[in-house]
Amino acid sequence: MQNVILKKELSMDELVIVSSEMERSKKSKALAYVLLIFLGTLGVHRFYLGHIGMGILNIVVFVFSLLLLGLPYMILWVIELILLSGAVDKINTRKEMELIHNIKMLRNRY
């Protein structure tokens, strides 16, 4: 919602810049889910989203789960499945807000 308000302050050219940059750099929910489903044990979906610490935690939990017949990892996997969509949205919103602020700073400089 905040990005919608911020976008109203941009010119058409600036909106085009934000839009093209977002298309280039936004994270894909579909890819995040594919990574979770097929490589979730290694935390690859978390590394893709830039959550390095959570990716490492996934690996640690998976190794620990091997000792306990996989139960802790299955619980973590279900939680990840539920939370992943919101995580991608949050990252994309934050990236867009960052782009808008950068454009505004550049505009104010000139």
Side-chain angles (χ1 to χ4, degrees), residues 22-49:
M22 279 304 296
E23 280 303 312
R24 188 187 67 74
S25 65
K26 75 179 179 180
K27 300 298 182 185
S28 162
K29 284 185 188 180
L31 178 57
Y33 276 110
V34 167
L35 292 173
L36 171 63
I37 291 166
F38 293 106
L39 299 169
T41 56
L42 301 174
V44 173
H45 61 291
R46 287 297 184 172
F47 290 107
Y48 168 68
L49 296 177

mmCIF file of all heavy atoms in Angstrom, residues 22-49:
data_model
loop_
_atom_site.group_PDB
_atom_site.id
_atom_site.type_symbol
_atom_site.label_atom_id
_atom_site.label_comp_id
_atom_site.label_asym_id
_atom_site.label_seq_id
_atom_site.Cartn_x
_atom_site.Cartn_y
_atom_site.Cartn_z
ATOM 1 N N MET A 22 11.873 -3.445 -11.752
ATOM 2 C CA MET A 22 11.186 -4.487 -10.984
ATOM 3 C C MET A 22 11.040 -5.760 -11.813
ATOM 4 O O MET A 22 11.212 -6.860 -11.291
ATOM 5 C CB MET A 22 9.811 -3.998 -10.520
ATOM 6 C CG MET A 22 9.847 -3.125 -9.284
ATOM 7 S SD MET A 22 10.667 -3.897 -7.871
ATOM 8 C CE MET A 22 9.591 -5.293 -7.554
ATOM 9 N N GLU A 23 10.717 -5.624 -13.087
ATOM 10 C CA GLU A 23 10.601 -6.801 -13.951
ATOM 11 C C GLU A 23 11.930 -7.547 -14.036
ATOM 12 O O GLU A 23 11.964 -8.770 -14.088
ATOM 13 C CB GLU A 23 10.133 -6.413 -15.349
ATOM 14 C CG GLU A 23 8.657 -6.182 -15.456
ATOM 15 C CD GLU A 23 7.831 -7.383 -15.020
ATOM 16 O OE1 GLU A 23 8.111 -8.521 -15.455
ATOM 17 O OE2 GLU A 23 6.898 -7.178 -14.231
ATOM 18 N N ARG A 24 13.007 -6.798 -14.031
ATOM 19 C CA ARG A 24 14.336 -7.398 -14.124
ATOM 20 C C ARG A 24 14.755 -8.081 -12.831
ATOM 21 O O ARG A 24 15.388 -9.127 -12.840
ATOM 22 C CB ARG A 24 15.363 -6.323 -14.498
ATOM 23 C CG ARG A 24 16.746 -6.858 -14.808
ATOM 24 C CD ARG A 24 17.756 -5.750 -15.014
ATOM 25 N NE ARG A 24 18.035 -4.989 -13.822
ATOM 26 C CZ ARG A 24 18.770 -5.410 -12.787
ATOM 27 N NH1 ARG A 24 19.274 -6.616 -12.806
ATOM 28 N NH2 ARG A 24 18.982 -4.640 -11.756
ATOM 29 N N SER A 25 14.376 -7.506 -11.689
ATOM 30 C CA SER A 25 14.953 -7.979 -10.434
ATOM 31 C C SER A 25 13.983 -8.643 -9.463
ATOM 32 O O SER A 25 14.418 -9.165 -8.446
ATOM 33 C CB SER A 25 15.640 -6.815 -9.721
ATOM 34 O OG SER A 25 14.692 -5.829 -9.342
ATOM 35 N N LYS A 26 12.681 -8.660 -9.770
ATOM 36 C CA LYS A 26 11.740 -9.217 -8.795
ATOM 37 C C LYS A 26 11.898 -10.728 -8.688
ATOM 38 O O LYS A 26 12.354 -11.397 -9.614
ATOM 39 C CB LYS A 26 10.307 -8.830 -9.131
ATOM 40 C CG LYS A 26 9.685 -9.566 -10.287
ATOM 41 C CD LYS A 26 8.259 -9.102 -10.490
ATOM 42 C CE LYS A 26 7.637 -9.834 -11.664
ATOM 43 N NZ LYS A 26 6.261 -9.388 -11.879
ATOM 44 N N LYS A 27 11.512 -11.235 -7.537
ATOM 45 C CA LYS A 27 11.586 -12.668 -7.282
ATOM 46 C C LYS A 27 10.281 -13.318 -7.728
ATOM 47 O O LYS A 27 9.209 -12.761 -7.596
ATOM 48 C CB LYS A 27 11.806 -12.932 -5.788
ATOM 49 C CG LYS A 27 13.080 -12.314 -5.237
ATOM 50 C CD LYS A 27 14.305 -12.882 -5.892
ATOM 51 C CE LYS A 27 15.558 -12.271 -5.286
ATOM 52 N NZ LYS A 27 16.754 -12.680 -5.946
ATOM 53 N N SER A 28 10.389 -14.523 -8.230
ATOM 54 C CA SER A 28 9.243 -15.262 -8.745
ATOM 55 C C SER A 28 8.708 -16.215 -7.674
ATOM 56 O O SER A 28 9.464 -17.026 -7.128
ATOM 57 C CB SER A 28 9.671 -16.061 -9.974
ATOM 58 O OG SER A 28 8.753 -17.084 -10.259
ATOM 59 N N LYS A 29 7.402 -16.128 -7.410
ATOM 60 C CA LYS A 29 6.790 -17.063 -6.463
ATOM 61 C C LYS A 29 6.861 -18.486 -7.004
ATOM 62 O O LYS A 29 7.132 -19.426 -6.257
ATOM 63 C CB LYS A 29 5.329 -16.690 -6.206
ATOM 64 C CG LYS A 29 5.148 -15.523 -5.302
ATOM 65 C CD LYS A 29 3.668 -15.307 -5.015
ATOM 66 C CE LYS A 29 3.477 -14.013 -4.262
ATOM 67 N NZ LYS A 29 2.051 -13.782 -3.969
ATOM 68 N N ALA A 30 6.605 -18.634 -8.299
ATOM 69 C CA ALA A 30 6.623 -19.974 -8.904
ATOM 70 C C ALA A 30 7.991 -20.623 -8.738
ATOM 71 O O ALA A 30 8.091 -21.788 -8.325
ATOM 72 C CB ALA A 30 6.242 -19.892 -10.375
ATOM 73 N N LEU A 31 9.051 -19.879 -9.035
ATOM 74 C CA LEU A 31 10.393 -20.437 -8.891
ATOM 75 C C LEU A 31 10.700 -20.731 -7.433
ATOM 76 O O LEU A 31 11.298 -21.767 -7.104
ATOM 77 C CB LEU A 31 11.444 -19.482 -9.476
ATOM 78 C CG LEU A 31 12.899 -19.937 -9.348
ATOM 79 C CD1 LEU A 31 13.114 -21.307 -9.987
ATOM 80 C CD2 LEU A 31 13.825 -18.901 -9.968
ATOM 81 N N ALA A 32 10.281 -19.853 -6.531
ATOM 82 C CA ALA A 32 10.523 -20.081 -5.103
ATOM 83 C C ALA A 32 9.848 -21.374 -4.648
ATOM 84 O O ALA A 32 10.440 -22.171 -3.902
ATOM 85 C CB ALA A 32 10.032 -18.889 -4.285
ATOM 86 N N TYR A 33 8.609 -21.615 -5.104
ATOM 87 C CA TYR A 33 7.916 -22.854 -4.738
ATOM 88 C C TYR A 33 8.569 -24.088 -5.362
ATOM 89 O O TYR A 33 8.683 -25.131 -4.706
ATOM 90 C CB TYR A 33 6.433 -22.794 -5.119
ATOM 91 C CG TYR A 33 5.593 -22.105 -4.072
ATOM 92 C CD1 TYR A 33 5.034 -20.854 -4.319
ATOM 93 C CD2 TYR A 33 5.371 -22.688 -2.830
ATOM 94 C CE1 TYR A 33 4.272 -20.208 -3.356
ATOM 95 C CE2 TYR A 33 4.613 -22.052 -1.863
ATOM 96 C CZ TYR A 33 4.058 -20.816 -2.133
ATOM 97 O OH TYR A 33 3.311 -20.183 -1.177
ATOM 98 N N VAL A 34 9.008 -23.976 -6.601
ATOM 99 C CA VAL A 34 9.699 -25.111 -7.239
ATOM 100 C C VAL A 34 10.974 -25.443 -6.465
ATOM 101 O O VAL A 34 11.260 -26.620 -6.187
ATOM 102 C CB VAL A 34 10.012 -24.805 -8.724
ATOM 103 C CG1 VAL A 34 10.982 -25.816 -9.303
ATOM 104 C CG2 VAL A 34 8.726 -24.779 -9.540
ATOM 105 N N LEU A 35 11.723 -24.411 -6.093
ATOM 106 C CA LEU A 35 12.949 -24.637 -5.325
ATOM 107 C C LEU A 35 12.631 -25.257 -3.968
ATOM 108 O O LEU A 35 13.350 -26.153 -3.503
ATOM 109 C CB LEU A 35 13.715 -23.327 -5.151
ATOM 110 C CG LEU A 35 14.312 -22.733 -6.428
ATOM 111 C CD1 LEU A 35 14.895 -21.356 -6.156
ATOM 112 C CD2 LEU A 35 15.359 -23.657 -7.027
ATOM 113 N N LEU A 36 11.560 -24.786 -3.326
ATOM 114 C CA LEU A 36 11.163 -25.346 -2.031
ATOM 115 C C LEU A 36 10.783 -26.816 -2.171
ATOM 116 O O LEU A 36 11.226 -27.658 -1.387
ATOM 117 C CB LEU A 36 9.989 -24.553 -1.438
ATOM 118 C CG LEU A 36 9.331 -25.156 -0.192
ATOM 119 C CD1 LEU A 36 10.324 -25.224 0.964
ATOM 120 C CD2 LEU A 36 8.112 -24.359 0.198
ATOM 121 N N ILE A 37 9.986 -27.127 -3.180
ATOM 122 C CA ILE A 37 9.498 -28.492 -3.330
ATOM 123 C C ILE A 37 10.627 -29.465 -3.685
ATOM 124 O O ILE A 37 10.726 -30.547 -3.114
ATOM 125 C CB ILE A 37 8.367 -28.554 -4.377
ATOM 126 C CG1 ILE A 37 7.129 -27.836 -3.815
ATOM 127 C CG2 ILE A 37 8.034 -29.990 -4.775
ATOM 128 C CD1 ILE A 37 6.053 -27.529 -4.837
ATOM 129 N N PHE A 38 11.504 -29.074 -4.597
ATOM 130 C CA PHE A 38 12.527 -30.005 -5.055
ATOM 131 C C PHE A 38 13.871 -29.902 -4.328
ATOM 132 O O PHE A 38 14.591 -30.890 -4.245
ATOM 133 C CB PHE A 38 12.744 -29.854 -6.568
ATOM 134 C CG PHE A 38 11.548 -30.278 -7.363
ATOM 135 C CD1 PHE A 38 10.729 -29.350 -7.968
ATOM 136 C CD2 PHE A 38 11.221 -31.624 -7.478
ATOM 137 C CE1 PHE A 38 9.615 -29.742 -8.691
ATOM 138 C CE2 PHE A 38 10.106 -32.034 -8.194
ATOM 139 C CZ PHE A 38 9.296 -31.089 -8.796
ATOM 140 N N LEU A 39 14.204 -28.717 -3.822
ATOM 141 C CA LEU A 39 15.498 -28.542 -3.148
ATOM 142 C C LEU A 39 15.357 -27.907 -1.770
ATOM 143 O O LEU A 39 16.299 -27.354 -1.236
ATOM 144 C CB LEU A 39 16.419 -27.681 -4.022
ATOM 145 C CG LEU A 39 16.755 -28.262 -5.395
ATOM 146 C CD1 LEU A 39 17.443 -27.219 -6.253
ATOM 147 C CD2 LEU A 39 17.614 -29.499 -5.252
ATOM 148 N N GLY A 40 14.149 -28.005 -1.229
ATOM 149 C CA GLY A 40 13.878 -27.391 0.072
ATOM 150 C C GLY A 40 14.756 -27.929 1.185
ATOM 151 O O GLY A 40 15.076 -27.215 2.133
ATOM 152 N N THR A 41 15.162 -29.175 1.084
ATOM 153 C CA THR A 41 16.008 -29.757 2.125
ATOM 154 C C THR A 41 17.336 -29.023 2.246
ATOM 155 O O THR A 41 17.933 -28.984 3.315
ATOM 156 C CB THR A 41 16.292 -31.244 1.851
ATOM 157 O OG1 THR A 41 16.862 -31.366 0.557
ATOM 158 C CG2 THR A 41 15.036 -32.067 1.937
ATOM 159 N N LEU A 42 17.770 -28.427 1.169
ATOM 160 C CA LEU A 42 19.035 -27.687 1.177
ATOM 161 C C LEU A 42 18.823 -26.185 1.377
ATOM 162 O O LEU A 42 19.776 -25.414 1.347
ATOM 163 C CB LEU A 42 19.793 -27.931 -0.133
ATOM 164 C CG LEU A 42 20.121 -29.392 -0.429
ATOM 165 C CD1 LEU A 42 20.731 -29.517 -1.807
ATOM 166 C CD2 LEU A 42 21.048 -29.955 0.630
ATOM 167 N N GLY A 43 17.576 -25.767 1.545
ATOM 168 C CA GLY A 43 17.289 -24.353 1.771
ATOM 169 C C GLY A 43 17.517 -23.477 0.558
ATOM 170 O O GLY A 43 17.658 -22.256 0.684
ATOM 171 N N VAL A 44 17.527 -24.062 -0.631
ATOM 172 C CA VAL A 44 17.835 -23.313 -1.848
ATOM 173 C C VAL A 44 16.835 -22.176 -2.063
ATOM 174 O O VAL A 44 17.211 -21.086 -2.499
ATOM 175 C CB VAL A 44 17.890 -24.258 -3.073
ATOM 176 C CG1 VAL A 44 18.031 -23.479 -4.367
ATOM 177 C CG2 VAL A 44 19.037 -25.243 -2.912
ATOM 178 N N HIS A 45 15.569 -22.397 -1.732
ATOM 179 C CA HIS A 45 14.564 -21.341 -1.882
ATOM 180 C C HIS A 45 14.895 -20.136 -1.006
ATOM 181 O O HIS A 45 14.667 -19.005 -1.386
ATOM 182 C CB HIS A 45 13.166 -21.881 -1.559
ATOM 183 C CG HIS A 45 13.016 -22.381 -0.165
ATOM 184 N ND1 HIS A 45 13.651 -23.518 0.288
ATOM 185 C CD2 HIS A 45 12.319 -21.891 0.879
ATOM 186 C CE1 HIS A 45 13.336 -23.706 1.552
ATOM 187 N NE2 HIS A 45 12.529 -22.733 1.943
ATOM 188 N N ARG A 46 15.454 -20.373 0.170
ATOM 189 C CA ARG A 46 15.843 -19.268 1.061
ATOM 190 C C ARG A 46 17.062 -18.529 0.518
ATOM 191 O O ARG A 46 17.147 -17.309 0.601
ATOM 192 C CB ARG A 46 16.112 -19.789 2.474
ATOM 193 C CG ARG A 46 14.858 -20.163 3.204
ATOM 194 C CD ARG A 46 14.006 -18.947 3.380
ATOM 195 N NE ARG A 46 12.830 -19.248 4.173
ATOM 196 C CZ ARG A 46 12.007 -18.322 4.605
ATOM 197 N NH1 ARG A 46 12.218 -17.060 4.331
ATOM 198 N NH2 ARG A 46 10.966 -18.655 5.294
ATOM 199 N N PHE A 47 18.008 -19.267 -0.018
ATOM 200 C CA PHE A 47 19.166 -18.610 -0.633
ATOM 201 C C PHE A 47 18.710 -17.747 -1.810
ATOM 202 O O PHE A 47 19.190 -16.639 -2.001
ATOM 203 C CB PHE A 47 20.214 -19.635 -1.077
ATOM 204 C CG PHE A 47 20.917 -20.318 0.077
ATOM 205 C CD1 PHE A 47 20.638 -21.635 0.393
ATOM 206 C CD2 PHE A 47 21.847 -19.634 0.838
ATOM 207 C CE1 PHE A 47 21.279 -22.263 1.454
ATOM 208 C CE2 PHE A 47 22.500 -20.250 1.902
ATOM 209 C CZ PHE A 47 22.216 -21.564 2.208
ATOM 210 N N TYR A 48 17.761 -18.248 -2.612
ATOM 211 C CA TYR A 48 17.208 -17.506 -3.747
ATOM 212 C C TYR A 48 16.593 -16.184 -3.288
ATOM 213 O O TYR A 48 16.727 -15.162 -3.959
ATOM 214 C CB TYR A 48 16.158 -18.369 -4.469
ATOM 215 C CG TYR A 48 15.306 -17.635 -5.474
ATOM 216 C CD1 TYR A 48 15.858 -17.134 -6.648
ATOM 217 C CD2 TYR A 48 13.947 -17.443 -5.259
ATOM 218 C CE1 TYR A 48 15.073 -16.457 -7.579
ATOM 219 C CE2 TYR A 48 13.153 -16.771 -6.181
ATOM 220 C CZ TYR A 48 13.726 -16.277 -7.338
ATOM 221 O OH TYR A 48 12.959 -15.607 -8.257
ATOM 222 N N LEU A 49 15.925 -16.193 -2.146
ATOM 223 C CA LEU A 49 15.284 -14.982 -1.628
ATOM 224 C C LEU A 49 16.252 -14.070 -0.879
ATOM 225 O O LEU A 49 15.873 -12.998 -0.438
ATOM 226 C CB LEU A 49 14.115 -15.361 -0.707
ATOM 227 C CG LEU A 49 12.967 -16.092 -1.382
ATOM 228 C CD1 LEU A 49 11.909 -16.477 -0.364
ATOM 229 C CD2 LEU A 49 12.361 -15.257 -2.499
#
